[in-house]
Amino acid sequence: MQSKKSSAENSGTTAEQYKGFTAEERAAMKEHAQEQKKAAARRGSSRAEKAAAAERDVLAKIAEMPEADRVLAERIHDIITTAAPDLTPKLWYGMPAYARDGKVLCHFQSAGKFKTRYATLGFSDQAALDDGAVWPTAYGLKELTAADEERISEIVKKAVD
């Protein structure tokens, strides 16, 4: 007669299944904590000073990226700041992000950050991209043509409406 095993015995314990956060995820969380500390240290600064410091942080982070990611991130930064000048650049989990009223609307994630084969441009639920019952909220990026840049510009403009 076969003995019945509990579901935990059949599938292993929760501790055995859960491997925890990856090194990349832990690094992103640490970066986010540092970003929060920097933001707290800027309290009392003028809004313009805070915005300028946040943009410097974004540009410095972009400059640290491997060349392929850096080229994409620089173009994305230019496209977003031109298409939606009211968005504020800021770091978000160590990634360049663009916010409205302090809430991230979109962000760039380099391929190197999580060791993926392509970078992404992602949009939060703050973005006005709703189109029926299903719509994309992230786009994979390997390179950008002039047509791609125009398309991204239109998507960003739609997202801020």
Side-chain angles (χ1 to χ4, degrees), residues 80-129:
I80 292 172
T81 56
T82 300
D86 293 341
L87 294 182
T88 306
K90 65 184 276 182
L91 288 178
W92 186 61
Y93 292 94
M95 297 175 282
Y98 304 85
R100 179 174 44 204
D101 300 326
K103 296 180 180 179
V104 171
L105 186 105
C106 60
H107 69 279
F108 175 83
Q109 182 176 305
S110 67
K113 180 137 182 107
F114 291 102
K115 299 179 180 142
T116 59
R117 64 184 183 93
Y118 52 83
T120 58
L121 174 61
F123 292 86
S124 75
D125 63 342
Q126 300 297 309
L129 295 176

Side-chain angles (χ1 to χ4, degrees), residues 121-124 127-140 151 155 158-159:
L121 174 61
F123 292 86
S124 75
L129 295 176
D130 307 38
D131 185 14
V134 178
W135 60 90
T137 59
Y139 298 85
R151 181 173 177 216
I155 293 167
K158 181 179 179 185

